[in-house]
């Protein structure tokens, strides 16, 4: 999958802006449209589904009628690599759930420090150094197509999932969906955290390898596959999407593992050399404000970081669902290890060894 | 009104504050140094700890360096949560095996130098700017051994200085709070102490202001020993003032009486002279008036003289006086006047006598005594003035004798003739009655004694005995008791 294919762009228009003008702006996204149309453009690069984050953009544009948000969506890993390799494409704000990659960028000095007044209201571990701001609180879940269960109970923990895999054995060959940790930042993040947290990590890896798990680059495609019956079990999905899916297709159950439930934060930072730093700051303010958090809780399906926001997707609502101990992945220097090349190589090697086709593994000495 | 010099209280407060400020600034400075050192040491240990944990997980496997960094190393770094961290692991060819590949100013030479001297690598700390922030680095070497191969790797871990600066600032802030509190409390205590110590002065002031201006009895306020001399001086001054006032009062009364009486006499005599028709009688009366007027003039002169002397006693320091020369001069001055009265003056004695004293006053004394002697001498009489050293008297250095050949003074009068305005009932000679008392005062002022003896076959010997011990130079004499 090439980068240009894996990325699509959405625009949100408010006011008198015409579609043609938008198209013009898209072609000429170097900031020229500001002088042409006398409108300001806030550019955001994100790895957040644009339909999910849309209500927030609309709210921002409602507050600032002369501002257009120019949002480019891409996969977490692409977002990161493109940020480093193509400095000219860097947007004012970078949003991504791949906390480690975001952290690395902030640690390397790409983030603009901004003491948002909203930070006081938020948990102190939801931001780092006034540079990187966590704005969601999202469990990593397992989704199961209940068709596979037959008479069996829904596996609620990793232990039970392993038992189920053992029991169903060949029924699950090539029917387990996983993030490709080499391609998806979020998949890598969640997987390496499992490695740090779980005793069942080794057995899970072995079980996934033995059943030739299918690898995906994003949650949506994994859920699609689940719906189509291409896989029956999908491990380490982003909860918000999965729960929405479960609502739509009741036979797809979403489980927060009861041994422990990893929690990730979507994070945003302002690019150090942002073209519109003040607009970017105001967007961050909205994102972290009670209003922004409330919009997330009510409309996006993403669980907001603020425990005070109420709504169907609030933290409160989340904690009422069956779950294990919520273990938020700390937003701090610990994340640096995940970006370490040597470490990554070790993980990749381990992963490759487990995931290569069975025949290949059997033939090797 | 004396000029107000700076207040003692204000000066004390100022000095105490200055000393306190100095101490507190020193304390703050010390705390600042301590804070920086302590935080540096503790955060350096965190860095070193992280580097050690990284080093722990670097091994050699099949001639290849195998790195499996532990989370704990990063968790250690995360203890200073708000700081950026950077690290790199490099091989002996200075190639970055993992981590940041552009870390600045790594002291490889130092590290290698150490490695040759000692088996174990010693961490080297240094600071360098990186990614637009100052970063504190620790560089650590690790020697990997496999078979006969030696392979060195270098671990460099750096962290920005935010946490240590925040910690140092926190200690500094606490120190500042403590020192401010200490300052305020100490200052309050010292203010209290100053107030307490200076209170006796306030009490004296209060005691003096509360007095009536005529009350000159000694102050009986309880004061600390340092202030007692001041109180003593005040009391002494008041006693002196009291004496002076008393003396002045009595003298004024006496003088008024002494002047009014002859004036009244003069008045009536003059009246008589006007009414007198007999020319010869009138001439006689006018002669009387003239004589009375002379006496009055004399009296007034003596009074004024005495007033001058009294003033001198209290204002004039003593100076060396050649007593023999002074006596001779006085005699010489009086010779003519004495001869007019048919009296001779003879100065006998050949000693030199130097004493400390008031020359003017002494001259007055001599003049008064000698005049007195001349006045009471008969016609063709002789007044002998002699200055001698008096070895037979232990405490006397010089004795001045003035001997006349007059009628002498009966013993019962001897003790009275020095009183003011005293005149012997049998005394017919004109005189104010002040001269001898002035002489006696001068003598007392010089610690000398007066002694009256009878002369043979007739007459009076006035002896002035000067003590051997002369007063120290330039000392104001103590006032004498109010013996008038």
């Amino acid at each position: 999958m090439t980068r240009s294919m894996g990325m699509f762009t959405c625009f949100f228009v408010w006011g008198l802006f015409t579609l043609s003008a938008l198209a013009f702006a898209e072609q000429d996204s170097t900031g020229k449209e500001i002088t042409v149309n006398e409108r300001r453009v806030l550019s955001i690069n994100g790895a957040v589904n644009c339909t999910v984050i849309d209500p927030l953009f609309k709210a921002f544009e409602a507050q600032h009628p002369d501002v257009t948000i120019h949002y480019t969506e891409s996969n977490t890993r692409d977002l990161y690599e493109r940020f480093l390799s193509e400095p000219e494409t860097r947007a004012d704000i970078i949003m991504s759930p791949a906390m480690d990659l975001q952290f690395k960028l902030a640690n390397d000095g790409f983030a603009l420090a901004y003491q948002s007044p909203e930070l006081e209201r938020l948990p102190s571990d939801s931001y780092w150094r006034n540079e990187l701001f966590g704005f969601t609180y999202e469990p990593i879940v397992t989704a199961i197509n209940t068709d596979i269960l037959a008479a069996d109970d829904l596996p609620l923990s990793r232990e039970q999932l392993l038992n189920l895999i053992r029991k169903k054995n060949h029924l699950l060959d090539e029917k387990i969906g996983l993030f490709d940790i080499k391609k998806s930042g979020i998949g890598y993040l969640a997987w390496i955290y499992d490695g740090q947290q779980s005793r069942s990590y080794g057995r899970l890896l072995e079980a996934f390898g033995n059943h030739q798990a299918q690898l995906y680059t994003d949650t949506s495609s994994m859920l699609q596959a689940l719906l189509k019956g291409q896989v029956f079990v999908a491990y380490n999905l982003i909860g918000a999407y999965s729960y929405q899916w479960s609502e739509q297709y009741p036979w797809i159950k979403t489980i927060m593992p009861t041994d422990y439930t990893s929690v990730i934060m979507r994070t945003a930072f302002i690019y150090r050399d942002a073209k519109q730093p003040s607009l970017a700051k105001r967007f961050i303010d909205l994102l972290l404000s009670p209003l922004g958090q409330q919009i997330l809780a009510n409309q996006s399906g993403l669980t907001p970081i603020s425990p005070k926001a109420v709504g169907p997707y609030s933290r409160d609502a989340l904690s009422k669902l069956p779950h294990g101990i919520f273990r938020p992945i700390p937003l701090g220097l610990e994340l640096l290890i995940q970006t370490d090349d040597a470490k990554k190589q070790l993980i990749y090697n381990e992963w490759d060894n487990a995931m290569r086709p069975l025949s290949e593994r059997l033939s090797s000495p | 009104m004396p000029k107000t010099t700076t207040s003692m209280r204000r000066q004390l407060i100022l000095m105490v504050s200055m000393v306190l400020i100095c101490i507190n600034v020193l304390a703050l400075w010390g705390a600042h140094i301590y804070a920086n050192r302590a935080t540096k040491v503790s955060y350096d240990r965190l860095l070193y700890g992280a580097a050690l944990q990284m080093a722990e997980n670097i091994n050699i496997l099949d001639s290849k360096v195998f790195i499996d960094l532990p989370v704990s190393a990063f968790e250690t770094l995360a203890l200073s949560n708000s700081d950026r961290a950077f690290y790199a692991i490099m091989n002996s060819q200075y190639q970055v095996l993992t981590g940041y590949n552009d870390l600045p100013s790594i002291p490889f030479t130092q590290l290698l130098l150490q490695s040759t001297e000692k088996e174990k690598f010693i961490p080297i700390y240094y600071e360098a700017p990186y990614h637009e922030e100052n970063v504190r680095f620790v560089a650590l070497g690790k020697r990997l051994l496999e078979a006969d191969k030696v392979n060195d790797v270098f671990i460099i871990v750096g962290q920005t200085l935010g946490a240590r600066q925040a910690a140092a600032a926190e200690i500094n802030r606490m120190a500042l709070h403590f020192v401010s509190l200490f300052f305020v409390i100490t200052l309050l205590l010292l203010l209290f102490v100053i107030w307490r110590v200076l209170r006796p002065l306030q009490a004296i002031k209060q005691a003096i202001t509360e007095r009536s201006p005529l009350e000159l009895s000694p102050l009986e306020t309880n004061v600390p020993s340092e202030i007692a001399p001041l109180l003593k001086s005040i009391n002494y001054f008041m006693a002196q003032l009291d004496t002076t006032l008393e003396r002045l009062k009595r003298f004024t009364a006496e003088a008024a009486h002494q002047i009014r009486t002859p004036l009244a006499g003069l008045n009536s005599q003059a009246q008589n002279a006007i009414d007198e028709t007999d020319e010869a009688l009138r001439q006689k009366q006018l002669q009387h008036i003239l004589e009375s007027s002379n006496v009055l003039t004399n009296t007034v002169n003596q009074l004024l003289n005495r007033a001058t002397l009294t003033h001198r006693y209290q204002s004039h320091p003593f100076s060396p006086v050649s007593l023999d020369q002074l006596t001779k001069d006085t005699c010489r001055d009086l010779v003519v006047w004495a001869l007019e009265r048919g009296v001779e003056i003879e100065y006998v004695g050949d000693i030199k006598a130097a004493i400390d004293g008031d020359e003017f006053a002494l001259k007055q004394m001599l003049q008064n005594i000698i005049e007195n002697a001349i006045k009471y001498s008969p016609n063709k009489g002789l007044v002998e003035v002699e200055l001698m050293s008096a070895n037979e008297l232990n405490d006397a250095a010089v004795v001045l004798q003035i001997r006349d050949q007059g009628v002498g003074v009966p013993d019962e009068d001897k003790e009275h003739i020095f009183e003011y305005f005293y005149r012997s009932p049998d005394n017919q000679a004109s005189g104010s009655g002040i001269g001898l008392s002035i002489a006696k005062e001068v003598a007392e002022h010089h610690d000398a004694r007066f002694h009256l003896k009878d002369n043979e076959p007739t007459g009076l010997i006035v002896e002035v005995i000067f003590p051997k011990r002369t007063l120290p130079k330039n000392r104001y004499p103590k006032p004498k008791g109010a013996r008038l």
Side-chain angles (χ1 to χ4, degrees):
Chain A
M1 189 163 61
T2 67
R3 189 170 292 144
S4 54
M5 280 169 67
M7 177 186 85
F8 65 99
T9 310
C10 346
F11 287 93
F12 295 91
V13 191
W14 207 258
L16 308 165
F17 221 33
T18 62
L19 272 173
S20 57
L22 247 180
F24 172 72
E26 181 194 9
Q27 281 158 10
D28 193 349
S29 60
T30 55
K32 220 186 221 170
E33 64 269 47
I34 297 166
T35 52
V36 171
N37 301 301
E38 294 181 350
R39 293 181 63 82
R40 290 184 291 168
V41 170
L42 176 66
S43 57
I44 299 174
N45 282 356
V48 185
N49 205 321
C50 77
T51 52
V52 167
I53 200 84
D54 182 30
L56 206 66
F57 292 163
K58 286 203 166 104
F60 186 74
E61 287 177 333
Q63 285 179 354
H64 304 89
D66 62 328
V67 173
T68 307
I69 289 178
H70 183 164
Y71 180 67
T72 310
E73 185 194 333
S74 47
N75 162 305
T76 49
R77 181 116 230 132
D78 289 338
L79 181 73
Y80 173 73
E81 279 165 4
R82 197 156 166 251
F83 182 89
L84 290 179
S85 60
E86 297 172 32
E88 70 280 357
T89 65
R90 289 172 188 171
D92 297 330
I93 290 177
I94 316 294
M95 280 199 270
S96 168
M99 296 161 72
D100 49 349
L101 301 180
Q102 291 279 89
F103 184 85
K104 170 88 167 139
L105 291 178
N107 189 55
D108 291 0
F110 289 111
L112 181 77
Y114 172 49
Q115 180 66 48
S116 169
E118 307 295 340
L119 289 180
E120 290 168 21
R121 286 193 260 262
L122 298 175
S124 61
D125 53 2
S126 74
Y127 54 92
W128 185 73
R129 256 182 84 101
N130 310 330
E131 290 178 8
L132 190 59
F133 311 103
F135 60 96
T136 62
Y137 184 87
E138 299 183 51
I140 298 297
V141 300
T142 304
I144 287 188
N145 184 333
T146 47
D147 293 349
I148 191 75
L149 292 176
D152 289 308
D153 291 336
L154 194 68
L156 296 176
S157 66
R158 288 176 180 77
E159 210 60 45
Q160 288 173 9
L161 179 67
L162 279 168
N163 286 338
L164 184 77
I165 294 171
R166 200 174 302 131
K167 198 168 173 188
K168 301 293 176 186
N169 203 358
H170 291 300
L171 278 177
L172 284 174
D173 280 350
E174 300 185 12
K175 295 290 187 192
I176 299 173
L178 287 180
F179 268 120
D180 184 345
I181 62 166
K182 291 184 190 169
K183 289 183 179 147
S184 159
I186 186 112
Y188 178 74
L189 174 73
W191 183 250
I192 209 167
Y193 193 61
D194 276 344
Q196 290 167 13
Q197 296 295 315
S198 163
R199 285 182 294 112
S200 53
Y201 164 76
R203 282 180 292 147
L204 276 174
L205 181 64
E206 196 187 336
F208 294 157
N210 285 343
H211 291 86
Q212 296 103 52
Q214 301 293 304
L215 303 181
Y216 298 88
T217 54
D218 56 81
T219 303
S220 312
S221 48
M222 229 187 301
L223 287 168
Q224 287 285 352
L226 199 62
L227 183 65
K228 288 175 191 160
Q230 290 164 349
V231 294
F232 284 100
V233 176
Y235 182 74
N236 273 3
L237 304 178
I238 291 179
Y241 302 143
S242 185
Y243 273 113
Q244 281 174 350
W245 213 265
S246 296
E247 271 175 36
Q248 218 171 331
Y249 312 106
W251 64 92
I252 293 174
K253 292 278 184 209
T254 299
I255 300 152
M256 291 193 275
T258 53
D259 43 348
Y260 70 90
T261 308
S262 307
V263 175
I264 60 150
M265 278 181 248
R266 274 170 215 271
T267 56
F269 69 86
I270 304 171
Y271 175 46
R272 186 186 58 208
D273 300 323
K275 293 189 187 81
Q276 297 283 350
S278 58
L279 273 187
K281 284 174 184 172
R282 265 182 265 155
F283 184 80
I284 294 291
D285 285 344
L286 174 68
L287 191 63
L288 303 178
S289 70
L291 173 66
Q293 295 281 300
Q294 199 58 52
I295 290 171
L296 288 179
N298 282 326
Q299 301 172 36
S300 69
L302 301 178
T303 304
I305 188 74
S306 168
K308 286 173 197 141
V310 289
Y313 310 107
S314 66
R315 280 176 73 162
D316 191 43
L318 193 68
S319 65
K320 282 180 182 140
L321 298 169
H323 63 88
I325 305 158
F326 284 123
R327 287 216 176 127
I329 298 178
L331 184 61
L333 282 166
E334 296 94 327
L335 289 171
L336 263 191
I337 195 175
Q338 275 148 264
T339 64
D340 179 66
D341 291 332
K343 188 77 181 181
K344 201 187 289 175
Q345 209 48 56
L346 290 176
I347 301 275
Y348 283 179
N349 288 345
E350 190 183 45
W351 177 266
D352 286 344
N353 277 334
M355 292 299 161
R356 67 186 166 173
L358 194 62
S359 55
E360 214 178 292
R361 270 184 287 159
L362 289 174
S363 62
S364 65
Chain B
M1 186 82 185
K3 239 171 63 188
T4 9
T5 48
T6 38
S7 134
M8 202 152 115
R9 184 190 303 275
R10 200 178 308 148
Q11 249 179 326
L12 272 174
I13 291 172
L14 198 73
M15 281 177 185
V16 158
S17 306
M18 260 155 49
V19 167
L20 266 183
I21 286 170
C22 284
I23 290 173
N24 288 339
V25 165
L26 270 180
L28 275 182
W29 184 59
H32 175 73
I33 288 175
Y34 166 77
N36 283 356
R37 197 167 294 169
T39 50
K40 192 175 196 172
V41 166
S42 44
Y43 281 92
D44 277 357
R45 280 185 188 153
L46 278 186
L47 264 187
Y48 183 46
L52 276 184
Q53 290 173 63
M54 288 184 184
E56 185 83 359
N57 288 274
I58 301 169
N59 291 298
I60 200 150
L61 219 78
D62 301 331
S63 308
K64 275 186 71 181
V65 178
F66 178 83
I67 303 167
D68 183 8
L69 296 182
V71 192
S72 59
F74 291 89
E75 282 168 347
T76 307
L77 289 174
L79 291 175
S80 45
N81 186 35
S82 62
D83 279 315
R84 293 192 175 131
F86 311 101
Y87 68 96
I89 291 160
M90 304 171 112
N91 63 15
S92 44
Q93 285 81 47
Y94 309 148
Q95 286 164 330
V96 175
L97 300 173
T98 187
Y100 288 75
N101 52 19
D102 57 348
L103 293 184
S105 37
I106 303 165
F108 288 114
T109 44
Q110 244 176 300
L111 279 168
L112 285 174
L113 203 68
Q114 281 189 355
S115 70
T116 52
E117 284 168 1
K118 288 177 187 168
E119 272 305 294
K120 207 167 176 262
F121 283 97
I122 294 169
I124 292 170
Y125 297 95
Y126 59 101
E127 272 173 42
Y130 184 59
H131 281 322
E132 293 167 8
E133 262 188 270
N134 265 335
V135 180
R136 176 98 173 151
F137 287 101
V138 61
L140 189 69
K142 182 179 182 182
R143 181 150 292 168
L144 303 168
L145 297 168
E146 191 197 42
D148 54 345
K149 272 182 74 181
V150 172
N151 209 342
D152 286 339
V153 288
F154 302 110
I155 300 107
I156 296 109
V157 185
Q159 199 154 28
T160 51
L161 307 174
R164 58 180 77 202
Q165 281 164 356
E170 175 66 25
I171 298 178
N172 275 328
R173 195 162 46 240
M174 273 174 58
L176 184 66
H177 284 168
F178 173 77
V179 166
S180 315
L181 192 71
F182 174 80
F183 179 80
V184 169
I185 289 174
T186 326
L187 195 63
L188 286 178
L189 285 176
L190 284 173
L191 286 182
F192 173 74
V193 167
I194 289 169
W195 171 80
R196 193 77 181 72
V197 167
L198 291 183
R199 210 166 52 159
L201 286 181
Q202 201 66 26
I204 292 175
K205 185 206 128 193
Q206 194 70 18
I208 291 175
T209 45
E210 274 172 6
R211 280 176 167 233
S212 82
L214 292 175
E215 192 185 345
L216 294 171
S217 62
L219 289 167
E220 299 292 352
T221 316
N222 272 334
V223 291
S225 56
E226 284 81 4
I227 295 175
L230 174 69
L231 191 66
K232 224 181 245 172
S233 298
I234 292 173
N235 284 343
Y236 169 64
F237 173 75
M238 288 201 304
Q240 221 179 8
L241 195 61
D242 194 32
T243 307
T244 309
L245 280 178
E246 190 60 28
R247 203 185 278 176
L248 191 66
K249 217 156 70 187
R250 287 171 64 179
F251 179 77
T252 311
E254 288 279 9
H257 174 72
Q258 287 302 319
I259 294 170
R260 262 191 215 120
T261 313
L263 274 178
L266 270 179
N267 212 356
S268 61
Q269 276 174 351
Q271 198 63 50
N272 287 345
I274 289 171
D275 297 341
E276 188 55 60
T277 48
D278 182 352
E279 188 56 33
L281 217 54
R282 197 157 81 178
Q283 280 301 322
K284 214 176 162 186
Q285 276 171 343
L286 283 173
Q287 196 62 41
H288 273 138
I289 290 173
L290 200 61
E291 275 169 25
S292 296
S293 163
N294 278 339
V295 169
L296 191 59
T297 307
N298 207 12
T299 306
V300 169
N301 276 340
Q302 293 279 28
L303 282 173
L304 290 177
N305 241 344
R306 191 198 162 263
T308 314
L309 282 177
T310 311
H311 175 69
R312 282 183 76 87
Y313 294 158
Q314 287 171 359
S315 66
H316 243 71
F318 279 3
S319 54
V321 176
S322 166
L323 194 59
D324 53 322
Q325 192 59 46
L326 188 68
T327 314
K328 272 184 239 168
D329 289 348
T330 311
C331 292
R332 203 170 291 135
D333 290 348
L334 290 171
V335 160
V336 178
W337 183 74
L339 285 176
E340 281 173 1
R341 295 165 169 255
V343 180
E344 258 183 74
I345 301 175
E346 187 182 1
Y347 177 76
V348 285
D350 50 2
I351 64 153
K352 297 228 175 276
I355 62 163
D356 278 343
D358 183 344
E359 189 170 340
F360 178 82
L362 286 171
K363 179 147 189 167
Q364 289 293 320
M365 175 186 81
L366 287 170
Q367 214 166 347
N368 284 354
I369 303 170
I370 297 171
E371 270 180 11
N372 200 59
I374 291 167
K375 240 184 259 172
Y376 292 101
S377 288
N379 205 11
K380 302 227 188 294
L382 177 68
V383 172
E384 284 176 311
V385 179
E386 185 175 3
L387 201 58
M388 54 188 142
S389 55
N391 291 333
E392 69 271 21
L393 290 163
N394 282 341
D395 61 339
V398 181
V399 174
L400 175 71
Q401 274 194 359
I402 292 105
R403 302 189 283 268
D404 67 56
Q405 293 164 340
V407 290
V409 176
D411 284 346
E412 65 264 27
D413 277 354
K414 277 190 179 121
E415 53 187 293
H416 291 301
I417 65 165
F418 296 114
E419 289 175 13
Y420 272 110
F421 308 115
Y422 176 82
R423 309 200 52 182
S424 167
D426 332 318
N427 188 359
Q428 299 305 311
S430 65
S432 61
I434 298 180
L436 276 183
S437 55
I438 290 176
K440 189 170 186 234
E441 262 182 29
V442 174
E444 279 175 351
H445 182 57
H446 288 81
D447 277 346
R449 280 187 291 119
F450 250 76
H451 195 231
L452 298 183
K453 289 198 267 189
D454 290 329
N455 200 3
E456 290 300 327
T458 170
L460 184 71
I461 300 175
V462 179
E463 231 177 31
V464 188
I465 305 158
F466 289 94
K468 184 181 273 166
R469 182 177 43 80
T470 51
L471 289 163
K473 283 181 182 177
N474 296 329
R475 210 196 75 179
Y476 286 92
K478 271 192 275 177
K480 299 279 163 264
R483 247 200 94 215
L484 295 170

